[in-house]
Amino acid sequence: MFEKTCWVGLPAQELEQKKIYQGDLNGRFAYYRCTAHLQQSAHLSLKITANARYRLWVNEHPVTSGPCKGDLDRWYYDTVDVSEYLRPGKNLLAVQVLFLDHYSTTFQEDTRSPIFSVVAPGGTHRLAVEGTAYNPDGSAVDISTGNADWKCFLDSSRYLSNQQPTIYMGATCEEIDFDSLPHQWKQADFDDSGWGMPEKLEPVMPSEYMRRVGLRQRFPMHGRPIPPMYEINCTFAHPGMLKSPVTIPAKGRRTFLLDAETEVNGYPDFHFTGGRGSTVQITYFEKFTGPHAANKADPNGEISGITDTLHLNGDDIRFEPFWYKTFRFVSIQVDAEEETTIFPPTYRKTGYPLKRISNVQSSETWVKEVYDICVRTLENCMMETYMDCPFYEQNQFPMDTRLQALFCSAVSGDMRLTYKALEEFHSCITPDGLVHGRYPASYQQIISTFSLHYIFMLEETWQQTGDIAPLRRYLPDLDRILNYYDERIGEDGLVGRLGWWEFVDWQPAWAEIAGIPEALLHGPSSIINLMYALALEQAAVLWDAAGRGYLADEYRKRKDAVIKQVYTLCWDAARGMVREGPEFYQFTQHAQSWAVLTGMLKGEQARDALLHSLKEDDVLKCSFSTSYELFRALEMTGLYQQTRVNMMSWANLPQLGNTTCPETPEDSRSECHAWSALPIYEFLRVMSGVRIEAGKVIITPFSGYLKDFSGTICIPGGTANFTYTDQVYTITLSTGTEATLYDPDGNHQKLTGAHTYSVQIN
């Protein structure tokens, strides 16, 4: 692996010629080309990486983007077989490299601030490629950097930009003047005689001396831990007036609206001819807004999105954005200086290759609609990491990721992205004992409550797999995080201010304090103390699984002490609910839910508190993102029927014009936010009656509130097919799997694969 390969970079004369130096390289592109003369049916597999991002073409075919997002301790390389793109004769490998340098930019102020979720160590545009093409006659052609004749060019005409750094933390835009850009550089017959030879830098892998004395590489190389992102050629479902080429006359203006029908991630491909001096503005957006829009899909509304601007030069122009775009709609405005022809655009849909195994059906049509919307949301928020939302931020937050991991496991059983996320959260823990609020990230952020969600995610990962071995290395993190909280317990026995961002939920009542419980302005918050208590309990579960019961006992004693104080100081007997603080008279569904989940409230007292929180108008209600705990509390107390009202918020999404789950049902910023895809879990892990506990399949027939329900559920080692109709629940496991079935009377029996079992539910 890269044993005889060197990094290559831009030579000093290239920087001097373009008058671009360190500090002005951020967001700029370098182009690398390598030609190889091959025979028919030649074979070529590449290992490739770059600083900080690359996109690879072979003979003008877009192949892949990378490297996989990592951090300064894990620099990933990709392995790509490009044989299908080769042809007899002259072949061209073309690599576009983006350099990102957050050291030379200022967050909130610099529109050239780098993509937040890409971490890079600085330096300059670097490329490393290793590969040998083998011809059928046995001859070989080495195309490795440092050995083959690569050429390079620094593009001084443009840079990747950010329209609003505090919002568009991941999304980018480009402005390109094709008079200044060698836009045909990906073609094999392009004249690159004026291009320079890249500078040969250090070997990709450390020398024997470096290994022996423990010197750390600047780029510690690791193979990609997840599969490559898929790319599929697609056409727009509703291309409007662009079903065929359209010519705009000189001095004319035309605007075209394209609709992909659903929100997608992709690399759009635009094609123009003629039009020297013409300007094209391409705006990608999720929804229509404003008072004239009947819903989010109504084109009478206003457009607000991310815009690429192209200045044509009269040539035959193909434009594909370097970074993928998220869109349902695309608006193209052409201001033609000279006659300009635009061809029907296409796009290459991209994302993590999530394999849908689970599915559900019901005669209540909203069930399938909601399930598809939620799974589409999950898919759109999975790339090289989990993401909160693909359109704006593209960041991996522990709170969002914890829920996405649960949903992903239920849909496909694929744990690879989950394990990658856990490794990343583990790697970013601070000396104080908190994980970063988002990671990987070029700018550090601490959201102090999100460290608890990291603990929840660890415990839930163990529950889904029953395998403690891959989690053992993260268990010391439990003590560091919980100790941070323990150190902030005051004389009243409750955790007080945590510091950093103490986010819980985007509540309108807490909007001015950025989602922080208002109680914290007056003393402790019962929500945060109860979250801490549940984290202590789940940490105890993990230590039990690891065979360290003494630590589990300690954590449970600390948990009991916390919930005792919350009950003593925050229980309001007159209202039958937990107050938000000892002396702060605000009530929330959140506090009641966490009180039930921790076991502080039980039996009728728990049921009554939840019912009060559902019915009383002054109680702050859980948003999409915090409904998971509410649903679990209602489930624990036998009140799951009450979730139907909440579920109708998802059932109404198609009427609002949504094809994915928004961050909030109304007035949402993001229209695709996977922490809102909760119905996935409800359908697949609750209403189906198929649960996973400590890696074991538990069947608990459950009617929910659907008169009929059926589907296929992903379980460890296979699938389970279930139906519920006419109060009869039937389950069939795939061959080689087993489960334990608990009937409504509390009896249980072992189930084995390839057999069908039925249970009457009253």
Side-chain angles (χ1 to χ4, degrees), residues 236 239-249 252-258 268-275 278-284 310 312 315-319 330-336 338-346:
F236 284 87
M241 298 299 294
L242 277 175
K243 295 178 181 177
S244 58
V246 174
T247 299
I248 301 95
R253 169 181 284 185
R254 290 290 301 273
T255 300
F256 306 93
L257 179 65
L258 311 174
D269 183 12
F270 302 99
H271 185 191
F272 305 91
T273 58
S278 299
T279 298
V280 181
Q281 291 186 306
I282 307 168
T283 301
Y284 314 87
L310 313 180
L312 307 183
D315 291 345
D316 188 86
I317 298 294
R318 301 296 293 261
F319 169 66
V330 177
S331 172
I332 307 172
Q333 179 179 297
V334 181
D335 289 290
E338 296 181 356
E339 184 177 271
T340 307
T341 299
I342 178 174
F343 294 83
T346 61

Side-chain angles (χ1 to χ4, degrees), residues 58-347:
V58 177
N59 293 326
E60 298 185 70
H61 293 281
V63 177
T64 191
S65 291
C68 184
K69 291 179 183 178
D71 58 24
L72 300 184
D73 292 314
R74 281 171 301 278
W75 198 264
Y76 293 115
Y77 66 88
D78 301 310
T79 301
V80 187
D81 190 327
V82 299
S83 303
E84 64 179 295
Y85 306 108
L86 302 180
R87 62 195 181 198
K90 188 177 183 180
N91 288 261
L92 176 71
L93 277 69
V95 186
Q96 184 176 358
V97 176
L98 169 70
F99 178 66
L100 296 174
D101 181 12
H102 65 275
Y103 300 103
S104 63
T105 60
T106 303
F107 173 52
Q108 291 187 312
E109 298 176 4
D110 197 338
T111 58
R112 285 175 64 181
S113 60
I115 300 167
F116 280 41
S117 59
V118 177
V119 179
T124 185
H125 301 80
R126 286 178 172 231
L127 176 67
V129 177
E130 180 177 80
T132 301
Y134 294 96
N135 290 313
D137 66 3
S139 61
V141 179
D142 187 0
I143 54 85
S144 302
T145 51
N147 300 326
D149 292 329
W150 285 80
K151 287 196 169 185
C152 64
F153 177 90
L154 174 62
D155 186 353
S156 61
S157 69
R158 62 174 176 141
Y159 51 79
L160 207 61
S161 62
N162 187 324
Q163 290 180 192
Q164 192 172 346
T166 56
I167 296 177
Y168 299 100
M169 299 179 187
T172 62
C173 53
E174 300 181 46
E175 182 169 359
I176 301 177
D177 182 350
F178 284 95
D179 251 344
S180 305
L181 177 73
H183 56 87
Q184 296 175 333
W185 70 278
K186 297 187 287 270
Q187 298 176 5
D189 57 359
F190 172 77
D191 181 8
D192 61 7
S193 59
W195 286 32
M197 301 294 291
E199 181 181 357
K200 187 174 179 180
L201 304 173
E202 76 273 14
V204 174
M205 299 305 293
S207 66
E208 180 57 35
Y209 173 77
M210 289 182 68
R211 293 189 184 102
R212 188 164 55 247
V213 300
L215 290 176
R216 183 182 181 277
Q217 292 173 271
R218 189 176 195 177
F219 297 88
M221 301 303 295
H222 292 262
R224 185 185 187 98
I226 57 173
M229 303 300 100
Y230 69 83
E231 293 188 18
I232 302 173
N233 289 320
C234 297
T235 58
F236 284 87
H238 306 287
M241 298 299 294
L242 277 175
K243 295 178 181 177
S244 58
V246 174
T247 299
I248 301 95
K251 306 300 183 182
R253 169 181 284 185
R254 290 290 301 273
T255 300
F256 306 93
L257 179 65
L258 311 174
D259 181 358
E261 197 167 61
T262 63
E263 185 157 324
V264 297
N265 301 327
Y267 296 95
D269 183 12
F270 302 99
H271 185 191
F272 305 91
T273 58
R276 182 170 184 81
S278 299
T279 298
V280 181
Q281 291 186 306
I282 307 168
T283 301
Y284 314 87
F285 59 107
E286 296 181 293
K287 62 181 177 181
F288 291 94
T289 62
H292 301 297
N295 61 36
K296 297 172 183 178
D298 184 355
N300 292 311
E302 301 168 7
I303 294 173
S304 177
I306 298 165
T307 301
D308 289 328
T309 302
L310 313 180
H311 303 284
L312 307 183
N313 69 345
D315 291 345
D316 188 86
I317 298 294
R318 301 296 293 261
F319 169 66
E320 175 197 89
F322 176 81
W323 195 253
Y324 71 88
K325 304 291 186 179
T326 299
F327 55 88
R328 174 178 173 181
F329 302 102
V330 177
S331 172
I332 307 172
Q333 179 179 297
V334 181
D335 289 290
E337 182 65 23
E338 296 181 356
E339 184 177 271
T340 307
T341 299
I342 178 174
F343 294 83
T346 61
Y347 63 93

Side-chain angles (χ1 to χ4, degrees), residues 702-732:
F702 182 67
S703 61
Y705 36 73
L706 301 174
K707 61 183 179 181
D708 62 87
F709 193 43
S710 62
T712 298
I713 308 298
C714 173
I715 62 174
T719 58
N721 295 313
F722 77 96
T723 60
Y724 168 76
T725 186
D726 298 326
Q727 296 186 318
V728 175
Y729 178 91
T730 302
I731 186 83
T732 305

Side-chain angles (χ1 to χ4, degrees), residues 298-581:
D298 184 355
N300 292 311
E302 301 168 7
I303 294 173
S304 177
I306 298 165
T307 301
D308 289 328
T309 302
L310 313 180
H311 303 284
L312 307 183
N313 69 345
D315 291 345
D316 188 86
I317 298 294
R318 301 296 293 261
F319 169 66
E320 175 197 89
F322 176 81
W323 195 253
Y324 71 88
K325 304 291 186 179
T326 299
F327 55 88
R328 174 178 173 181
F329 302 102
V330 177
S331 172
I332 307 172
Q333 179 179 297
V334 181
D335 289 290
E337 182 65 23
E338 296 181 356
E339 184 177 271
T340 307
T341 299
I342 178 174
F343 294 83
T346 61
Y347 63 93
R348 290 173 66 83
K349 184 179 178 181
T350 188
Y352 183 90
L354 181 70
K355 183 178 180 180
R356 294 194 191 190
I357 295 176
S358 301
N359 62 76
V360 294
Q361 299 86 32
S362 173
S363 62
E364 296 191 40
T365 56
W366 67 267
V367 171
K368 180 64 172 172
E369 286 181 336
V370 167
Y371 181 75
D372 287 343
I373 284 174
C374 290
V375 175
R376 184 180 302 117
T377 304
L378 176 65
E379 290 173 328
N380 281 352
C381 294
M382 296 174 67
M383 291 288 281
E384 295 162 4
T385 65
Y386 289 111
M387 301 182 296
D388 60 330
C389 59
F391 187 79
Y392 286 101
E393 296 185 351
Q394 302 175 7
N395 283 315
Q396 182 172 251
F397 293 90
M399 179 178 174
D400 307 62
T401 300
R402 171 244 180 149
L403 293 172
Q404 289 170 269
L406 280 172
F407 306 158
C408 180
S409 176
V411 169
S412 73
D414 187 345
M415 302 297 293
R416 289 173 291 184
L417 204 59
T418 296
Y419 282 124
K420 181 176 183 288
L422 289 173
E423 176 67 18
E424 286 158 346
F425 294 147
H426 162 73
S427 299
C428 70
I429 196 164
T430 68
D432 286 343
L434 295 179
V435 300
H436 288 193
R438 58 170 180 245
Y439 199 79
S442 54
Y443 295 98
Q444 294 185 9
Q445 179 186 38
I446 307 296
I447 307 176
S448 42
T449 49
F450 279 16
S451 291
L452 300 181
H453 289 279
Y454 170 50
I455 293 176
F456 301 150
M457 184 178 171
L458 283 167
E459 193 270 346
E460 289 156 356
T461 300
W462 177 75
Q463 292 287 359
Q464 295 303 305
T465 64
D467 187 2
I468 197 65
L471 305 178
R472 282 186 178 274
R473 64 194 309 262
Y474 309 131
L475 297 187
D477 299 348
L478 305 175
D479 214 39
R480 298 179 67 188
I481 294 167
L482 296 171
N483 185 64
Y484 182 93
Y485 275 72
D486 190 63
E487 289 177 342
R488 283 151 182 80
I489 292 177
E491 293 181 358
D492 56 8
L494 296 178
V495 175
R497 295 306 298 263
L498 298 170
W500 305 103
W501 186 7
E502 300 142 314
F503 175 85
V504 167
D505 194 11
W506 287 119
Q507 284 292 315
W510 302 339
E512 293 185 1
I513 50 177
I516 298 169
E518 190 178 352
L520 279 178
L521 304 181
H522 308 275
S525 160
S526 61
I527 296 176
I528 288 177
N529 275 273
L530 291 167
M531 289 175 65
Y532 169 53
L534 187 63
L536 285 163
E537 174 59 38
Q538 293 198 347
V541 170
L542 288 166
W543 283 121
D544 275 336
R548 298 186 181 182
Y550 63 94
L551 278 173
D553 292 343
E554 176 193 328
Y555 284 169
R556 289 192 172 102
K557 289 177 183 177
R558 288 161 61 181
K559 170 206 165 185
D560 291 343
V562 171
I563 64 174
K564 178 181 178 181
Q565 288 303 103
V566 174
Y567 190 85
T568 299
L569 299 176
C570 301
W571 174 250
D572 193 298
R575 293 291 300 269
M577 288 186 290
V578 179
R579 287 191 304 274
E580 236 306 85

Side-chain angles (χ1 to χ4, degrees), residues 681-756:
Y681 189 89
E682 304 310 312
F683 291 146
L684 301 182
R685 289 289 183 252
V686 182
M687 295 186 191
S688 72
V690 181
R691 305 170 183 275
I692 313 297
E693 298 178 7
K696 306 295 184 183
V697 182
I698 307 297
I699 310 296
T700 52
F702 182 67
S703 61
Y705 36 73
L706 301 174
K707 61 183 179 181
D708 62 87
F709 193 43
S710 62
T712 298
I713 308 298
C714 173
I715 62 174
T719 58
N721 295 313
F722 77 96
T723 60
Y724 168 76
T725 186
D726 298 326
Q727 296 186 318
V728 175
Y729 178 91
T730 302
I731 186 83
T732 305
L733 304 180
S734 59
T735 302
T737 61
E738 59 181 31
T740 302
L741 183 146
Y742 291 83
D743 65 25
D745 296 326
N747 302 314
H748 68 275
Q749 60 176 311
K750 291 290 184 182
L751 309 185
T752 57
H755 291 83
T756 299

